[in-house]
Amino acid sequence: MRIGITCYPTYGGSGIVATELGLELANRGHQIHFITYANPIRLGERPDIFYHEVEVSNYPLFQYPPYCLALASRMAEVAVQYELDLLHVHYAIPHSVSALLARGILAGSRRLPFVTTLHGTDITLVGMDRSYYPITRYSIEQSDAVTSISEDLRRHTVEVFDVAKPIETIHNFVNTGLYHPAKDRKPRPPRMIHMSNFRPVKRVTDCIRVLAEVRKSVDAELWMVGDGPDRGAAERLAHDLGLIGSVRFLGKRNDVPALLRDADVLLMPSEMESFGLAALEAMSSGVVPLGTRVGGVPELITDGVDGYLSNTGDTIAMAANAATLLTDTAGCAAMATAARQAAVERFSTDLIIPKYEAMYRRVVEAV
Ligand code: GMT
């Protein structure tokens, strides 16, 4: 099939999922066209994958450049030039609206169905903003098919938007070949890792509080990967608690698989996570995830089996689990093996990508 994919191409879970989906589909022989405002970060050098940049004119008249319209025009143009079979948009706002317009532009000459995948913040935050609510609901209803990355997000979308459109849950996936456990462990201190865009919802300062608590009994260190609005607050707290020597802020990185497999546990103290892709990447890397009981996280982490769950803000409980794992080498290794097994048996690309392919076939063949 010839598939156009649109996402937010910068650092963020939805962009990563969309990019890795494109890579996996291309590996399976599909022709993939990314239609975005920048080259997706994890795309790498792939001459077999097309990239069509969306340029937005910035006339002085436009206080707000109409990206959504430029994207719709580009989608329609690419669809005609490359005879696309469908569009797959990640994140309802504004991508789903642009796809709807592109489908309308071409309606007289060719069919251009589109699939919308909901990732979370498009529904839980942005979509509930009253100014976006009606258009989000409309674009979901008008999609040829809708998928959600967790059952929790699917239920939430139906409740909040009262949509009649069937929504299929297709969980996020991981390339278990790329995200694999370390072959051997070099001598190093027990290490925790956190990876996010450092937005308030990620509660990055909780990671520092967990480190402070853990260090009462274990000489552990913490690697903070990523960047965003709350990095300054986390650095200040680390300084105030006298932890600056045991925490490293590594910023935005492209070598995520190597960083992950060199850690023992992942901290994900989020207030909300519709899925928690970082935890899945950690599990696949043989790193035990410590998450919170929110959103779709319990669909991914089975508490006490392949990771631990605690309540949001309960840094004492999260630290207790971390300290136990970091001192009990055999127990930690057993849980890491269970985490890897869950990633392979429930979320590997071989299991999940065919679900998208089946959905594309249904959408393309529908009349
Ligand atoms: O969490 C973020 O800040 C980024 C956001 C996004 O849209 O990129 O992540 C959402 O999508 C990811 C990929 O499907 C999920 O793993 C995240 O859980 C989800 N974030 C939230 O629900 C807060």
Side-chain angles (χ1 to χ4, degrees):
M1 272 179 268
R2 298 191 191 94
I3 304 161
I5 297 182
T6 294
C7 61
Y8 284 109
T10 50
Y11 291 80
S14 59
I16 291 167
V17 170
T19 308
E20 291 186 351
L21 175 62
L23 290 166
E24 293 294 336
L25 290 167
N27 292 344
R28 286 167 162 75
H30 299 285
Q31 192 183 94
I32 301 301
H33 296 256
F34 279 93
I35 310 170
T36 51
Y37 60 79
N39 217 328
I41 46 157
R42 291 200 190 169
L43 194 54
E45 302 296 318
R46 283 284 298 251
D48 57 327
I49 294 183
F50 295 74
Y51 164 57
H52 310 275
E53 190 154 315
V54 179
E55 283 176 36
V56 189
S57 335
N58 206 352
Y59 297 116
L61 183 67
F62 295 156
Q63 189 178 352
Y64 305 106
Y67 170 67
C68 176
L69 305 184
L71 175 60
S73 297
R74 195 82 177 107
M75 283 170 159
E77 204 172 60
V78 173
V80 170
Q81 285 166 354
Y82 293 90
E83 298 181 10
L84 298 188
D85 293 303
L86 81 156
L87 296 171
H88 186 175
V89 299
H90 294 259
Y91 220 88
I93 304 167
H95 304 148
S96 188
V97 181
S98 300
L100 176 59
L101 287 170
R103 187 180 71 184
I105 293 169
L106 300 180
S109 55
R110 68 194 312 280
R111 197 169 164 260
L112 181 64
F114 71 97
V115 174
T116 300
T117 290
L118 308 172
H119 282 269
T121 43
D122 44 354
I123 298 305
T124 52
L125 300 175
V126 192
M128 278 156 72
D129 176 334
R130 295 312 301 180
S131 54
Y132 293 116
Y133 183 94
I135 193 79
T136 309
R137 184 172 189 278
Y138 183 64
S139 69
I140 292 172
E141 286 284 16
Q142 291 296 316
S143 302
D144 292 272
V146 183
T147 77
S148 159
I149 47 108
S150 67
E151 189 50 24
D152 181 78
L153 179 62
R154 189 197 65 76
R155 271 197 305 270
H156 192 77
T157 308
V158 172
E159 256 169 51
V160 170
F161 288 91
D162 189 26
V163 281
K165 185 95 205 159
I167 301 176
E168 183 181 344
T169 296
I170 302 184
H171 282 123
N172 282 338
F173 56 88
V174 66
N175 179 336
T176 53
L178 180 62
Y179 290 87
H180 62 78
K183 305 256 179 317
D184 48 15
R185 190 189 143 152
K186 296 180 198 80
R188 57 160 172 78
R191 182 178 298 153
M192 302 184 285
I193 191 167
H194 170 80
M195 203 168 71
S196 78
N197 51 18
F198 288 49
R199 290 194 307 117
V201 73
K202 306 294 176 183
R203 295 183 66 100
V204 287
T205 51
D206 281 5
C207 297
I208 308 297
R209 292 184 205 287
V210 168
L211 176 66
E213 198 57 32
V214 166
R215 282 187 62 80
K216 289 179 182 168
S217 56
V218 190
D219 189 16
E221 62 181 18
L222 170 65
W223 280 12
M224 300 287 282
V225 181
D227 211 330
D230 281 355
R231 175 171 171 171
E235 276 177 322
R236 273 192 300 280
L237 183 64
H239 175 265
D240 294 350
L241 296 179
L243 292 168
I244 222 68
S246 24
V247 53
R248 274 179 65 191
F249 289 87
L250 293 146
K252 291 177 181 174
R253 300 281 295 236
N254 289 326
D255 53 343
V256 169
L259 290 171
L260 273 178
R261 75 175 73 99
D262 209 12
D264 301 300
V265 303
L266 173 104
L267 303 181
M268 194 176 69
S270 305
E271 192 174 301
M272 183 58 195
E273 267 327 320
S274 296
F275 184 83
L277 187 64
L280 175 57
E281 291 175 343
M283 291 165 80
S284 183
S285 309
V287 173
V288 180
L290 304 185
T292 38
R293 243 173 237 110
V294 295
V297 180
E299 294 170 46
L300 169 62
I301 301 173
T302 307
D303 190 24
V305 175
D306 48 29
Y308 285 111
L309 297 175
S310 49
N311 294 331
T312 310
D314 192 348
T315 52
I316 301 294
M318 189 174 274
N321 290 326
T324 305
L325 288 164
L326 295 176
T327 41
D328 173 11
T329 314
C332 187
M335 198 169 258
T337 302
R340 167 74 184 172
Q341 192 180 343
V344 171
E345 291 179 0
R346 296 174 56 213
F347 302 102
S348 70
T349 49
D350 289 349
L351 291 172
I352 307 291
I353 307 298
K355 295 187 185 186
Y356 280 113
E357 288 178 296
M359 160 155 290
Y360 295 158
R361 275 195 295 274
R362 282 202 301 277
V363 162
V364 168
E365 284 160 17
V367 254

